[in-house]
Amino acid sequence: MKSNGHSKSLLWTLRKRFTSDIGIDLGTANTLVHVAGRGILIREPSVVAVNKDNGEVLKVGEEARMMLGRTPANIVATRPLRDGVIADYEITLKMIETFIKRARHRVTLYQTVVVGIPSGVTEVERDAVLDACRKAGAHKAYVIEEPMAAAIGAGLPIVEPIGSMIVDIGGGTTEVAVISLAGIVHSRSIRIAGDEIDEAIAAYVRRAHNLFIGDRTAEQVKIEIGSAHLQEQILEMEVKGRDLVTGLPRMATITSEEIRLAIQEPIAAIVEAVKLTLEATPPELAADCMNHGIVLAGGGAMLRGLDKLIAEETGMPVLIADNPLDCVAIGTGKMLEAMEEDPAIRRMLEKASRG
Ligand code: ADP
Ligand code: MG
């Protein structure tokens, strides 16, 4: 008995030494890679710079993002998943390959990969993601729907017969899901999330201040002074842009109240998606959500007052996940660990990854 336990632990150690199992959050805005036993090692924007003349991938991640809006004619920097669907297949696959290779250490002999994908992707796209993982050297590859991974990452009791509601507000999509017994009972995905909020800010500044601002400035405004709910303190911010009339650079001062009103439309759409999902949820599960609260994840969860607004509009308690940007990546990592011991988790992964 004793020697058995011993040899198992030796095998176990060897296996761990030569494997690097990874979980990937393939987000519309950010891609994160979680390496088993080591945590999140890669956190980069989902941006790829490509040479248009020959299709060669030049940069992936942060370096490519620096090029957004600043490229010469023969280079394009794009976000291949921008709207939550794989807009550019080949480029998405190259991005996945690059990240998998970056996460691998020198002695990796065996690798299992779990990728969290937006729930809106088609079967063909899903299979392409699995292929890309194998091409990058993964021995086993699985996909999982992002809301499920986010729920696990946020610590919700997904395998129990208890309803949990997760709202993941990313860059391109907001995904709302009710989960119970390791399955998605009901879900809704809308293409309105952080990007739309940024666009609403840029449109407002153009209209009200005659100032043209870029995507990144709009995002900064959102993060610094944006809010979904009336705030006690009114904040101000100086923004730089191009005057629509003179065409010259100019500054303008913008208040948080202006921005709150400017982004009401996309915010209302997000709240509406939560309400519609609740309405379509069986009463027992909705009651569970009432007891445990709705959990917000994704970068959008950090928008000031969004939790309060959703709580008011739904009458449910609302909580923000501990590390909203990391939930999906942590969830994929937890699944990799759990699939060895928990048949329910393994079955769930196999089911999600099969046609
Ligand atoms: P995805 O999963 O689609 O890649 P993320 O969960 O990484 O998206 O979230 C990215 C989005 O979160 C972006 O739209 C970004 O502007 C937004 N975001 C990040 N931080 C904040 C913040 N503090 N307040 C509001 N929005 C934020
Ligand atoms: Mg996400």
Side-chain angles (χ1 to χ4, degrees), residues 25-30 146 168-171 173 298-299 324-325 328:
D25 167 11
L26 189 62
T28 66
N30 298 296
E146 273 168 357
D168 181 353
I169 307 143
T173 58
L325 284 165
V328 172

Side-chain angles (χ1 to χ4, degrees), residues 47 52 131 154 176 186 201 217 262 294 345:
V47 184
K52 268 204 293 197
D131 275 346
V176 188
H186 190 77
I201 292 173
T217 306
I294 297 173
I345 300 276

Side-chain angles (χ1 to χ4, degrees), residues 161-178:
I162 299 173
S164 301
M165 180 181 259
I166 185 98
V167 182
D168 181 353
I169 307 143
T173 58
T174 295
E175 312 222 13
V176 188
V178 174

Side-chain angles (χ1 to χ4, degrees), residues 225-234 256-257 260 304-305:
I225 65 169
S227 62
H229 195 280
L230 197 61
Q231 301 290 293
E232 274 174 24
Q233 202 187 353
I234 295 193
S256 53
E257 229 355 58
R260 183 177 71 82
R304 279 174 207 81

